[in-house]
PDB file of all heavy atoms in Angstrom:
ATOM      1  N   GLN V   1     -47.950  -2.670  48.228  1.00  0.00           N
ATOM      2  CA  GLN V   1     -47.675  -4.011  48.757  1.00  0.00           C
ATOM      3  C   GLN V   1     -48.865  -4.564  49.544  1.00  0.00           C
ATOM      4  O   GLN V   1     -49.072  -5.781  49.603  1.00  0.00           O
ATOM      5  CB  GLN V   1     -46.435  -3.988  49.651  1.00  0.00           C
ATOM      6  CG  GLN V   1     -45.129  -3.747  48.913  1.00  0.00           C
ATOM      7  CD  GLN V   1     -43.946  -3.661  49.856  1.00  0.00           C
ATOM      8  OE1 GLN V   1     -43.853  -4.436  50.808  1.00  0.00           O
ATOM      9  NE2 GLN V   1     -43.048  -2.716  49.607  1.00  0.00           N
ATOM     10  N   LEU V   2     -49.656  -3.662  50.128  1.00  0.00           N
ATOM     11  CA  LEU V   2     -50.827  -4.080  50.902  1.00  0.00           C
ATOM     12  C   LEU V   2     -52.026  -4.411  50.013  1.00  0.00           C
ATOM     13  O   LEU V   2     -53.069  -4.828  50.501  1.00  0.00           O
ATOM     14  CB  LEU V   2     -51.206  -2.979  51.904  1.00  0.00           C
ATOM     15  CG  LEU V   2     -50.246  -2.828  53.091  1.00  0.00           C
ATOM     16  CD1 LEU V   2     -50.519  -1.532  53.842  1.00  0.00           C
ATOM     17  CD2 LEU V   2     -50.356  -4.028  54.029  1.00  0.00           C
ATOM     18  N   GLU V   3     -51.878  -4.202  48.709  1.00  0.00           N
ATOM     19  CA  GLU V   3     -52.870  -4.586  47.704  1.00  0.00           C
ATOM     20  C   GLU V   3     -54.232  -3.914  47.924  1.00  0.00           C
ATOM     21  O   GLU V   3     -55.286  -4.556  47.794  1.00  0.00           O
ATOM     22  CB  GLU V   3     -53.013  -6.119  47.661  1.00  0.00           C
ATOM     23  CG  GLU V   3     -51.714  -6.814  47.264  1.00  0.00           C
ATOM     24  CD  GLU V   3     -51.874  -8.316  47.124  1.00  0.00           C
ATOM     25  OE1 GLU V   3     -52.773  -8.896  47.769  1.00  0.00           O
ATOM     26  OE2 GLU V   3     -51.101  -8.916  46.364  1.00  0.00           O
ATOM     27  N   VAL V   4     -54.171  -2.639  48.229  1.00  0.00           N
ATOM     28  CA  VAL V   4     -55.418  -1.865  48.305  1.00  0.00           C
ATOM     29  C   VAL V   4     -55.770  -1.348  46.924  1.00  0.00           C
ATOM     30  O   VAL V   4     -54.944  -1.347  46.010  1.00  0.00           O
ATOM     31  CB  VAL V   4     -55.289  -0.683  49.298  1.00  0.00           C
ATOM     32  CG1 VAL V   4     -55.104  -1.194  50.718  1.00  0.00           C
ATOM     33  CG2 VAL V   4     -54.135   0.253  48.900  1.00  0.00           C
ATOM     34  N   GLU V   5     -57.017  -0.904  46.783  1.00  0.00           N
ATOM     35  CA  GLU V   5     -57.460  -0.375  45.493  1.00  0.00           C
ATOM     36  C   GLU V   5     -57.124   1.105  45.326  1.00  0.00           C
ATOM     37  O   GLU V   5     -56.876   1.558  44.211  1.00  0.00           O
ATOM     38  CB  GLU V   5     -58.977  -0.561  45.342  1.00  0.00           C
ATOM     39  CG  GLU V   5     -59.426  -1.993  45.175  1.00  0.00           C
ATOM     40  CD  GLU V   5     -59.593  -2.740  46.496  1.00  0.00           C
ATOM     41  OE1 GLU V   5     -59.366  -2.141  47.571  1.00  0.00           O
ATOM     42  OE2 GLU V   5     -59.947  -3.918  46.461  1.00  0.00           O
ATOM     43  N   TRP V   6     -57.164   1.839  46.443  1.00  0.00           N
ATOM     44  CA  TRP V   6     -57.007   3.293  46.402  1.00  0.00           C
ATOM     45  C   TRP V   6     -55.961   3.775  47.397  1.00  0.00           C
ATOM     46  O   TRP V   6     -55.736   3.148  48.434  1.00  0.00           O
ATOM     47  CB  TRP V   6     -58.317   3.985  46.792  1.00  0.00           C
ATOM     48  CG  TRP V   6     -59.437   3.922  45.830  1.00  0.00           C
ATOM     49  CD1 TRP V   6     -60.300   2.870  45.625  1.00  0.00           C
ATOM     50  CD2 TRP V   6     -59.869   4.974  44.950  1.00  0.00           C
ATOM     51  NE1 TRP V   6     -61.226   3.199  44.675  1.00  0.00           N
ATOM     52  CE2 TRP V   6     -61.002   4.485  44.251  1.00  0.00           C
ATOM     53  CE3 TRP V   6     -59.421   6.272  44.701  1.00  0.00           C
ATOM     54  CZ2 TRP V   6     -61.682   5.251  43.309  1.00  0.00           C
ATOM     55  CZ3 TRP V   6     -60.104   7.035  43.767  1.00  0.00           C
ATOM     56  CH2 TRP V   6     -61.211   6.529  43.078  1.00  0.00           C
ATOM     57  N   VAL V   7     -55.379   4.927  47.094  1.00  0.00           N
ATOM     58  CA  VAL V   7     -54.716   5.748  48.106  1.00  0.00           C
ATOM     59  C   VAL V   7     -55.347   7.137  48.036  1.00  0.00           C
ATOM     60  O   VAL V   7     -55.723   7.605  46.957  1.00  0.00           O
ATOM     61  CB  VAL V   7     -53.188   5.852  47.914  1.00  0.00           C
ATOM     62  CG1 VAL V   7     -52.511   4.530  48.224  1.00  0.00           C
ATOM     63  CG2 VAL V   7     -52.827   6.360  46.528  1.00  0.00           C
ATOM     64  N   GLU V   8     -55.507   7.759  49.195  1.00  0.00           N
ATOM     65  CA  GLU V   8     -55.980   9.139  49.248  1.00  0.00           C
ATOM     66  C   GLU V   8     -54.853  10.003  49.789  1.00  0.00           C
ATOM     67  O   GLU V   8     -54.398   9.807  50.927  1.00  0.00           O
ATOM     68  CB  GLU V   8     -57.223   9.280  50.122  1.00  0.00           C
ATOM     69  CG  GLU V   8     -57.723  10.719  50.177  1.00  0.00           C
ATOM     70  CD  GLU V   8     -59.103  10.868  50.802  1.00  0.00           C
ATOM     71  OE1 GLU V   8     -59.830   9.864  50.920  1.00  0.00           O
ATOM     72  OE2 GLU V   8     -59.456  12.012  51.166  1.00  0.00           O
ATOM     73  N   LEU V   9     -54.375  10.906  48.984  1.00  0.00           N
ATOM     74  CA  LEU V   9     -53.248  11.755  49.368  1.00  0.00           C
ATOM     75  C   LEU V   9     -53.705  12.858  50.317  1.00  0.00           C
ATOM     76  O   LEU V   9     -54.663  13.574  50.040  1.00  0.00           O
ATOM     77  CB  LEU V   9     -52.597  12.364  48.126  1.00  0.00           C
ATOM     78  CG  LEU V   9     -52.051  11.362  47.097  1.00  0.00           C
ATOM     79  CD1 LEU V   9     -51.467  12.105  45.897  1.00  0.00           C
ATOM     80  CD2 LEU V   9     -50.997  10.445  47.709  1.00  0.00           C
ATOM     81  N   HIS V  10     -53.003  12.981  51.420  1.00  0.00           N
ATOM     82  CA  HIS V  10     -53.311  13.993  52.437  1.00  0.00           C
ATOM     83  C   HIS V  10     -52.855  15.357  51.934  1.00  0.00           C
ATOM     84  O   HIS V  10     -51.671  15.594  51.705  1.00  0.00           O
ATOM     85  CB  HIS V  10     -52.588  13.630  53.737  1.00  0.00           C
ATOM     86  CG  HIS V  10     -52.753  14.631  54.823  1.00  0.00           C
ATOM     87  ND1 HIS V  10     -51.688  15.309  55.367  1.00  0.00           N
ATOM     88  CD2 HIS V  10     -53.848  15.069  55.463  1.00  0.00           C
ATOM     89  CE1 HIS V  10     -52.133  16.135  56.308  1.00  0.00           C
ATOM     90  NE2 HIS V  10     -53.439  15.999  56.387  1.00  0.00           N
ATOM     91  N   THR V  11     -53.815  16.267  51.751  1.00  0.00           N
ATOM     92  CA  THR V  11     -53.505  17.600  51.231  1.00  0.00           C
ATOM     93  C   THR V  11     -53.470  18.652  52.338  1.00  0.00           C
ATOM     94  O   THR V  11     -53.458  19.853  52.050  1.00  0.00           O
ATOM     95  CB  THR V  11     -54.544  18.009  50.164  1.00  0.00           C
ATOM     96  OG1 THR V  11     -55.869  17.855  50.713  1.00  0.00           O
ATOM     97  CG2 THR V  11     -54.419  17.146  48.915  1.00  0.00           C
ATOM     98  N   GLY V  12     -53.453  18.231  53.578  1.00  0.00           N
ATOM     99  CA  GLY V  12     -53.500  19.172  54.695  1.00  0.00           C
ATOM    100  C   GLY V  12     -52.316  20.115  54.762  1.00  0.00           C
ATOM    101  O   GLY V  12     -52.476  21.311  55.043  1.00  0.00           O
ATOM    102  N   THR V  13     -51.111  19.601  54.499  1.00  0.00           N
ATOM    103  CA  THR V  13     -49.919  20.455  54.527  1.00  0.00           C
ATOM    104  C   THR V  13     -50.015  21.528  53.453  1.00  0.00           C
ATOM    105  O   THR V  13     -49.770  22.716  53.703  1.00  0.00           O
ATOM    106  CB  THR V  13     -48.656  19.609  54.323  1.00  0.00           C
ATOM    107  OG1 THR V  13     -48.560  18.644  55.383  1.00  0.00           O
ATOM    108  CG2 THR V  13     -47.402  20.491  54.333  1.00  0.00           C
ATOM    109  N   PHE V  14     -50.378  21.100  52.242  1.00  0.00           N
ATOM    110  CA  PHE V  14     -50.591  22.044  51.144  1.00  0.00           C
ATOM    111  C   PHE V  14     -51.617  23.103  51.528  1.00  0.00           C
ATOM    112  O   PHE V  14     -51.413  24.308  51.324  1.00  0.00           O
ATOM    113  CB  PHE V  14     -51.059  21.276  49.896  1.00  0.00           C
ATOM    114  CG  PHE V  14     -51.871  22.089  48.933  1.00  0.00           C
ATOM    115  CD1 PHE V  14     -51.256  22.924  48.015  1.00  0.00           C
ATOM    116  CD2 PHE V  14     -53.269  22.029  48.952  1.00  0.00           C
ATOM    117  CE1 PHE V  14     -52.004  23.699  47.126  1.00  0.00           C
ATOM    118  CE2 PHE V  14     -54.024  22.780  48.073  1.00  0.00           C
ATOM    119  CZ  PHE V  14     -53.393  23.626  47.164  1.00  0.00           C
ATOM    120  N   ALA V  15     -52.745  22.672  52.098  1.00  0.00           N
ATOM    121  CA  ALA V  15     -53.833  23.595  52.439  1.00  0.00           C
ATOM    122  C   ALA V  15     -53.398  24.601  53.507  1.00  0.00           C
ATOM    123  O   ALA V  15     -53.764  25.785  53.434  1.00  0.00           O
ATOM    124  CB  ALA V  15     -55.055  22.807  52.915  1.00  0.00           C
ATOM    125  N   ASN V  16     -52.633  24.149  54.485  1.00  0.00           N
ATOM    126  CA  ASN V  16     -52.165  25.054  55.539  1.00  0.00           C
ATOM    127  C   ASN V  16     -51.225  26.119  54.988  1.00  0.00           C
ATOM    128  O   ASN V  16     -51.330  27.305  55.337  1.00  0.00           O
ATOM    129  CB  ASN V  16     -51.455  24.255  56.635  1.00  0.00           C
ATOM    130  CG  ASN V  16     -52.420  23.482  57.506  1.00  0.00           C
ATOM    131  OD1 ASN V  16     -53.616  23.762  57.534  1.00  0.00           O
ATOM    132  ND2 ASN V  16     -51.906  22.496  58.224  1.00  0.00           N
ATOM    133  N   ILE V  17     -50.306  25.694  54.130  1.00  0.00           N
ATOM    134  CA  ILE V  17     -49.369  26.655  53.529  1.00  0.00           C
ATOM    135  C   ILE V  17     -50.138  27.659  52.674  1.00  0.00           C
ATOM    136  O   ILE V  17     -49.899  28.871  52.753  1.00  0.00           O
ATOM    137  CB  ILE V  17     -48.305  25.920  52.679  1.00  0.00           C
ATOM    138  CG1 ILE V  17     -47.459  24.990  53.560  1.00  0.00           C
ATOM    139  CG2 ILE V  17     -47.401  26.936  51.973  1.00  0.00           C
ATOM    140  CD1 ILE V  17     -46.602  24.020  52.766  1.00  0.00           C
ATOM    141  N   TYR V  18     -51.060  27.157  51.866  1.00  0.00           N
ATOM    142  CA  TYR V  18     -51.857  28.035  51.003  1.00  0.00           C
ATOM    143  C   TYR V  18     -52.617  29.060  51.838  1.00  0.00           C
ATOM    144  O   TYR V  18     -52.664  30.256  51.504  1.00  0.00           O
ATOM    145  CB  TYR V  18     -52.829  27.194  50.168  1.00  0.00           C
ATOM    146  CG  TYR V  18     -53.558  27.995  49.112  1.00  0.00           C
ATOM    147  CD1 TYR V  18     -53.125  27.981  47.790  1.00  0.00           C
ATOM    148  CD2 TYR V  18     -54.661  28.780  49.436  1.00  0.00           C
ATOM    149  CE1 TYR V  18     -53.779  28.723  46.808  1.00  0.00           C
ATOM    150  CE2 TYR V  18     -55.314  29.528  48.467  1.00  0.00           C
ATOM    151  CZ  TYR V  18     -54.874  29.497  47.161  1.00  0.00           C
ATOM    152  OH  TYR V  18     -55.517  30.245  46.203  1.00  0.00           O
ATOM    153  N   ALA V  19     -53.224  28.605  52.927  1.00  0.00           N
ATOM    154  CA  ALA V  19     -54.013  29.506  53.767  1.00  0.00           C
ATOM    155  C   ALA V  19     -53.154  30.589  54.397  1.00  0.00           C
ATOM    156  O   ALA V  19     -53.558  31.752  54.502  1.00  0.00           O
ATOM    157  CB  ALA V  19     -54.743  28.712  54.848  1.00  0.00           C
ATOM    158  N   MET V  20     -51.960  30.228  54.829  1.00  0.00           N
ATOM    159  CA  MET V  20     -51.067  31.220  55.445  1.00  0.00           C
ATOM    160  C   MET V  20     -50.534  32.207  54.413  1.00  0.00           C
ATOM    161  O   MET V  20     -50.224  33.354  54.738  1.00  0.00           O
ATOM    162  CB  MET V  20     -49.917  30.517  56.160  1.00  0.00           C
ATOM    163  CG  MET V  20     -50.336  29.779  57.422  1.00  0.00           C
ATOM    164  SD  MET V  20     -50.950  30.858  58.743  1.00  0.00           S
ATOM    165  CE  MET V  20     -49.389  31.550  59.339  1.00  0.00           C
ATOM    166  N   LEU V  21     -50.452  31.778  53.153  1.00  0.00           N
ATOM    167  CA  LEU V  21     -49.943  32.647  52.093  1.00  0.00           C
ATOM    168  C   LEU V  21     -51.038  33.503  51.471  1.00  0.00           C
ATOM    169  O   LEU V  21     -50.825  34.684  51.186  1.00  0.00           O
ATOM    170  CB  LEU V  21     -49.279  31.791  51.005  1.00  0.00           C
ATOM    171  CG  LEU V  21     -48.703  32.516  49.784  1.00  0.00           C
ATOM    172  CD1 LEU V  21     -47.595  33.494  50.199  1.00  0.00           C
ATOM    173  CD2 LEU V  21     -48.163  31.504  48.781  1.00  0.00           C
ATOM    174  N   HIS V  22     -52.217  32.948  51.280  1.00  0.00           N
ATOM    175  CA  HIS V  22     -53.239  33.617  50.477  1.00  0.00           C
ATOM    176  C   HIS V  22     -54.505  34.022  51.222  1.00  0.00           C
ATOM    177  O   HIS V  22     -55.462  34.488  50.596  1.00  0.00           O
ATOM    178  CB  HIS V  22     -53.635  32.719  49.304  1.00  0.00           C
ATOM    179  CG  HIS V  22     -52.544  32.513  48.298  1.00  0.00           C
ATOM    180  ND1 HIS V  22     -52.009  33.537  47.549  1.00  0.00           N
ATOM    181  CD2 HIS V  22     -51.880  31.380  47.930  1.00  0.00           C
ATOM    182  CE1 HIS V  22     -51.074  33.048  46.739  1.00  0.00           C
ATOM    183  NE2 HIS V  22     -50.975  31.745  46.961  1.00  0.00           N
ATOM    184  N   SER V  23     -54.537  33.836  52.528  1.00  0.00           N
ATOM    185  CA  SER V  23     -55.722  34.252  53.287  1.00  0.00           C
ATOM    186  C   SER V  23     -55.300  35.093  54.491  1.00  0.00           C
ATOM    187  O   SER V  23     -54.119  35.384  54.679  1.00  0.00           O
ATOM    188  CB  SER V  23     -56.528  33.030  53.750  1.00  0.00           C
ATOM    189  OG  SER V  23     -55.946  32.451  54.904  1.00  0.00           O
ATOM    190  N   ASN V  24     -56.261  35.434  55.293  1.00  0.00           N
ATOM    191  CA  ASN V  24     -56.009  36.253  56.478  1.00  0.00           C
ATOM    192  C   ASN V  24     -55.711  35.411  57.714  1.00  0.00           C
ATOM    193  O   ASN V  24     -55.706  35.921  58.838  1.00  0.00           O
ATOM    194  CB  ASN V  24     -57.233  37.149  56.752  1.00  0.00           C
ATOM    195  CG  ASN V  24     -56.927  38.269  57.730  1.00  0.00           C
ATOM    196  OD1 ASN V  24     -55.871  38.884  57.657  1.00  0.00           O
ATOM    197  ND2 ASN V  24     -57.839  38.522  58.660  1.00  0.00           N
TER     198      ASN V  24
END
């Protein structure tokens, strides 16, 4: 509705979950 050209999806939640599951 704001007639922008782009949206950038925030992947921070995904990244945090991935890090807690697959890293130290």
Side-chain angles (χ1 to χ4, degrees):
Q1 291 177 41
L2 288 167
E3 298 184 334
V4 294
E5 291 84 0
W6 289 80
V7 290
E8 180 169 343
L9 301 178
H10 176 242
T11 53
T13 299
F14 154 82
N16 286 342
I17 297 168
Y18 188 99
M20 289 295 284
L21 179 61
H22 293 297
S23 80
N24 195 41

